């Protein structure tokens, strides 16, 4: 089955700086890669996703890049704000039906 | 429109006791999922359903059973609870689109 590795497990950045979280996947047939944000005590919520026919996708301060050859994808957050502090999970899926999640990155924005 | 709801929010069980977690969604979604979330391990899929009357095993199905008798409900059962099942349980649902919508979670402690 699919295996997703996520790094780093914790990340602290100064407010206003950029944050990058990286994930690798094992199944070359995976074609859907979402990112979920989970605030403390809350439910995970989708923030951005990308399909394998696209190399990059942006939504305001958030972007995701995908390298199919290397089987890795990354989340980029620019101009970080205190409300970006949360745990971020990447995931991969072959057909959207089932997601395999990474182990999460706890992002802390330092004011 | 309540989205995805879970009952109960918290529960404490003794080893060997049984219980059922209820997930309900009012979005007419076809797909429903049960995950468990443990520190440092991300979200792991227990069981899922692609439609009313269907169920399938996920990544960590042992010790759990599920039923989807009605489209809007997905039940997760623990027949004989073990301390290793102490976790936060999340239900999710999705339509034919990509995004999974999560419930608020159930925190279960098995003593």
């Amino acid at each position: 089955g699919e295996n997703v590795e996520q790094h780093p497990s914790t990340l602290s950045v100064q407010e206003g700086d950029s944050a990058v979280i990286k994930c690798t996947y094992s199944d070359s047939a995976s074609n859907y890669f979402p990112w979920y944000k989970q605030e403390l005590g809350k439910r995970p919520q989708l923030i951005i996703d990308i399909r394998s026919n696209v190399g990059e996708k942006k939504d305001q301060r958030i972007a995701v890049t995908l390298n199919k050859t290397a089987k890795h994808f990354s989340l980029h957050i620019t101009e970080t704000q205190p409300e970006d502090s949360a745990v971020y999970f990447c995931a991969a899926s072959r057909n959207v039906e089932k997601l395999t999640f990474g182990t999460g990155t706890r992002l802390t924005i330092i004011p | 429109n309540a989205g995805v709801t879970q009952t109960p929010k918290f529960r404490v069980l003794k080893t060997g006791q049984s219980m059922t977690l209820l997930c309900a969604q009012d979005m007419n979604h076809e797909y429903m999922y049960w995950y468990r979330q443990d520190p440092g391990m991300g979200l792991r899929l227990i069981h899922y359903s692609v439609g009313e009357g269907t169920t399938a095993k996920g990544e960590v199905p042992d010790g759990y059973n599920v039923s989807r008798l009605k489209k809007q409900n997905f039940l997760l059962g623990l027949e004989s609870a073990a301390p290793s099942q102490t976790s936060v349980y999340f239900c999710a649902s999705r339509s034919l689109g990509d995004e999974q919508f999560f419930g608020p979670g159930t925190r279960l402690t098995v003593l």
Side-chain angles (χ1 to χ4, degrees), chain A:
Chain A
E2 175 68 276
N3 182 50
V4 177
E5 295 189 357
Q6 183 171 348
H7 300 281
S9 56
T10 61
L11 179 61
S12 295
V13 300
Q14 291 289 140
E15 183 178 351
D17 287 350
S18 296
V20 180
I21 303 169
K22 299 180 180 180
C23 290
T24 60
Y25 59 99
S26 62
D27 186 352
S28 56
S30 288
N31 57 12
Y32 175 64
F33 308 92
W35 286 88
Y36 283 78
K37 175 183 180 181
Q38 186 178 27
E39 297 177 356
L40 188 62
K42 301 290 182 63
R43 71 191 77 188
Q45 291 188 297
L46 179 72
I47 54 171
I48 195 168
D49 57 8
I50 192 169
R51 286 195 170 269
S52 59
N53 58 348
V54 177
E56 183 176 2
K57 184 177 179 180
K58 288 184 180 180
D59 183 3
Q60 299 182 356
R61 296 186 297 108
I62 293 174
V64 57
T65 58
L66 172 66
N67 183 327
K68 287 189 294 183
T69 302
K71 289 191 285 187
H72 68 71
F73 56 111
S74 300
L75 177 71
H76 305 254
I77 305 174
T78 59
E79 300 173 8
T80 53
Q81 301 170 3
E83 53 264 36
D84 295 329
S85 292
V87 178
Y88 291 82
F89 293 97
C90 64
S93 173
R94 179 180 284 206
N95 55 8
V96 187
E97 184 171 296
K98 294 190 299 180
L99 294 177
T100 300
F101 283 87
T103 50
T105 296
R106 183 175 299 278
L107 174 63
T108 302
I109 307 302
I110 305 167

Side-chain angles (χ1 to χ4, degrees), chain B residues 4-95:
Chain B
V4 182
T5 59
Q6 293 182 228
T7 309
K9 290 184 171 54
F10 304 93
R11 185 73 186 267
V12 178
L13 290 179
K14 294 182 179 179
T15 296
Q17 288 185 319
S18 63
M19 78 163 294
T20 300
L21 282 68
L22 170 64
C23 176
Q25 52 93 7
D26 60 3
M27 298 177 282
N28 201 35
H29 285 174
E30 291 295 329
Y31 299 83
M32 297 188 74
Y33 305 84
W34 275 109
Y35 295 91
R36 59 177 290 172
Q37 183 174 37
D38 302 292
M41 302 189 74
L43 292 150
R44 293 183 292 168
L45 183 64
I46 305 171
H47 286 281
Y48 66 105
S49 169
V50 302
E52 181 179 322
T54 73
T55 63
K57 293 181 179 180
E59 183 184 351
V60 288
D62 293 344
Y64 305 95
N65 56 76
V66 288
S67 64
R68 183 99 181 267
L69 298 180
K70 294 183 179 180
K71 186 177 183 179
Q72 64 268 33
N73 295 338
F74 195 29
L75 278 64
L76 178 70
L78 286 72
E79 293 182 345
S80 180
S84 60
Q85 294 177 305
T86 293
S87 188
V88 179
Y89 292 85
F90 283 99
C91 174
S93 72
R94 73 174 179 89
S95 65

